[in-house]
Amino acid sequence: MNKEFRNPDVVLDIKDKPNGIKWLGLSLQHLFTMFGATVLVPILVGINPGIALFSSGLGTLVYLFVTKGKIPAYLGSSFAFIAAMQMLMKDAGYPAIALGAVTTGMVYLIVSLIVKKAGSAWLDRLLPPIVVGPVVMVIGLGLAANAANQAMYQNLPNGEQLYNVKYIAVALLTLLLTIVFNMYLKGFLGLIPILLGIVCGYVIALLFGIVDIEPIKEAAWFAVPNFQVPFVTYTPKLYITAIVTMAPIAFVTMTEHIGHLMVLNKLTKRNFYENPGLNRTLMGDGLAQIVAGLVGGPPVTSYGENIGVLAITRVHSVFVIGGAAVLAMVLGFVGKLTAIIQSIPGPVIAGISFILFGVIASSGLKILIDNKIDFNKKRNLLIASVILVVGIGGLTFQVGPVALSGMALATLFGILLNVFLPENAKSETE
């Protein structure tokens, strides 16, 4: 594609730079769009939301730099790693998550080198739609029980859980309002239904008296995020479980990355697979994950929500995306905001999660539908069935300190079945 090409159907093309207040407003729009999901991940895992905001902005800037400012993509906290991070946080703390994030980034870098040398056709063979679709469904459905528990149970100081009618009322009201916002709002407000749902749910939770506001009062306006830097705030260790649990998930987010590029190609009328090249986009995503893990954040990935903003506004400027990244980094230092985010009660998060986790699962179903997967074929039926039950059921395979469970094990099973099962069963060839 010619370097001078400019998409005539857009308001601002990739290299166009907006001015002043317009630039700020357009960047804030992207910030608000990714905000709800990006801070939800650290809340669910137990990571400081301020550092998650900072790492998402920093990761996005790294990605823009590696891809030579040619791709308007925002990178936020990845949902794919939530279950693995929750387990690692409980067992070993953030240092294990950091090692996992660096490992997944290294997987991206290795694949980017292979793609540079051998092309990308092998990825399609390893992860076809019949594997990717059910795995994406597992990402959402595997977290469904967590959302339901947050909606129903109050955690008591003694560790017990008490069914609380107030909790479930707040969760359902938050869910209802978020659905209404999604369906009936338009314009700028129509771009931020998740954020509006969180805000309204929070107000409802305040009215129900289930929000602890004391930490907000005590928080400073300016506060350095809780950076977790190896050899500075902790001594790194080798966590085999972190490596084997999170590394396979990299292939799941990789397919999401490739899918987002496909959408962006159509949207911007360019071919990013060729320029700057799939190897560079994978390298940028991998380095962003490594950087996020080295400062204390969760792994990051490209956000479909922000691609939706590009489509609706027809503003494709990388300067707008870069502006949103800088704003996210600045907000990470606002102590009051971090305290407010951390005070959001479980039922509010649960109400939002019913939609977000369901949307993830539905996205997996959409992959199967869009690719017209034939479930009359035994091969397809068997691959999908095993992935769904192993992943959602939480099957664990453990040998000594090494454990594979949930989505990671389901992805591995899916890849192996896809590789070794014949195209047709014997009964289908008779």
Side-chain angles (χ1 to χ4, degrees):
M1 188 69 71
N2 192 307
K3 286 185 178 180
E4 301 302 319
F5 170 79
R6 187 183 188 283
N7 187 352
D9 299 327
V10 299
V11 177
L12 290 175
D13 206 6
I14 291 175
K15 293 295 185 179
D16 294 340
K17 184 189 294 185
N19 295 317
I21 297 300
K22 184 178 181 181
W23 189 349
L24 176 63
L26 291 171
S27 292
L28 280 172
Q29 183 169 239
H30 275 280
L31 177 72
F32 289 148
T33 301
M34 68 82 191
F35 186 92
T38 291
V39 300
L40 180 58
V41 172
I43 291 171
L44 292 173
V45 175
I47 296 173
N48 182 276
I51 192 62
L53 277 173
F54 181 87
S55 63
S56 77
L58 182 59
T60 298
L61 293 180
V62 168
Y63 181 82
L64 293 176
F65 176 78
V66 173
T67 56
K68 302 179 179 179
K70 294 182 177 181
I71 305 177
Y74 191 93
L75 276 60
S77 305
S78 174
F79 277 75
F81 297 95
I82 289 176
M85 288 192 292
Q86 286 175 330
M87 181 193 73
L88 293 172
M89 181 64 86
K90 181 179 179 181
D91 295 340
Y94 182 78
I97 293 176
L99 177 62
V102 171
T103 301
T104 60
M106 291 300 295
V107 171
Y108 269 76
L109 296 184
I110 292 169
V111 173
S112 74
L113 292 175
I114 296 173
V115 169
K116 185 176 181 179
K117 295 292 183 182
S120 59
W122 65 276
L123 264 178
D124 296 329
R125 292 193 294 271
L126 192 67
L127 294 164
I130 185 56
V131 174
V132 175
V135 167
V136 173
M137 292 175 72
V138 166
I139 295 173
L141 297 178
L143 295 167
N146 292 345
N149 287 334
Q150 276 191 310
M152 295 186 294
Y153 298 113
Q154 176 184 0
N155 293 317
L156 301 178
N158 61 6
E160 295 181 4
Q161 289 187 319
L162 177 68
Y163 183 87
N164 192 315
V165 176
K166 284 185 178 180
Y167 274 42
I168 198 165
V170 170
L172 293 179
L173 286 171
T174 302
L175 170 64
L176 176 62
L177 286 172
T178 307
I179 291 173
V180 170
F181 295 152
N182 269 279
M183 293 300 296
Y184 296 105
L185 293 182
K186 57 184 180 179
F188 176 65
L189 293 179
L191 299 175
I192 54 170
I194 299 298
L195 181 61
L196 291 176
I198 291 176
V199 171
C200 292
Y202 190 83
V203 172
I204 293 170
L206 282 170
L207 295 175
F208 275 76
I210 62 172
V211 179
D212 182 9
I213 61 173
E214 288 305 315
I216 302 173
K217 295 178 181 178
E218 297 172 2
W221 278 103
F222 174 81
V224 177
N226 184 27
F227 289 106
Q228 295 283 331
V229 182
F231 300 110
V232 177
T233 58
Y234 67 88
T235 301
K237 295 180 181 179
L238 180 62
Y239 298 95
I240 300 297
T241 302
I243 295 173
V244 299
T245 301
M246 291 183 68
I249 304 174
F251 290 100
V252 178
T253 56
M254 211 174 291
T255 59
E256 183 180 41
H257 172 97
I258 293 170
H260 286 167
L261 274 185
M262 188 182 301
V263 176
L264 285 170
N265 283 342
K266 294 178 181 177
L267 201 61
T268 62
K269 297 184 178 180
R270 288 170 169 84
N271 188 342
F272 295 129
Y273 294 143
E274 294 182 359
N275 184 16
L278 181 58
N279 61 303
R280 272 195 172 273
T281 71
L282 289 171
M283 183 183 295
D285 206 330
L287 287 174
Q289 292 191 31
I290 292 172
V291 167
L294 292 178
V295 299
V300 294
T301 188
S302 56
Y303 261 28
E305 295 95 325
N306 293 87
I307 293 176
V309 175
L310 297 177
I312 293 170
T313 62
R314 294 186 294 126
V315 173
H316 299 169
S317 171
V318 291
F319 293 100
V320 171
I321 298 293
V326 172
L327 288 172
M329 294 172 69
V330 171
L331 278 179
F333 288 85
V334 181
K336 288 287 186 185
L337 176 63
T338 301
I340 291 172
I341 293 170
Q342 289 178 313
S343 72
I344 299 173
V348 175
I349 301 301
I352 298 296
S353 298
F354 286 146
I355 293 175
L356 289 180
F357 296 161
V359 167
I360 294 171
S362 298
S363 297
L365 184 61
K366 186 176 185 295
I367 290 172
L368 296 174
I369 294 171
D370 288 348
N371 288 276
K372 300 179 181 179
I373 300 300
D374 183 5
F375 278 99
N376 286 318
K377 292 184 64 173
K378 289 185 178 180
R379 182 183 192 276
N380 293 339
L381 189 62
L382 289 172
I383 293 173
S385 299
V386 171
I387 291 174
L388 289 171
V389 175
V390 168
I392 297 171
L395 180 67
T396 300
F397 180 77
Q398 183 166 354
V399 178
V402 179
L404 279 176
S405 63
M407 185 178 61
L409 190 59
T411 303
L412 178 61
F413 279 10
I415 290 172
L416 292 175
L417 287 173
N418 176 64
V419 170
F420 292 108
L421 286 183
E423 190 63 29
N424 294 294
K426 290 289 185 181
S427 60
E428 293 171 329
T429 58
E430 291 177 353

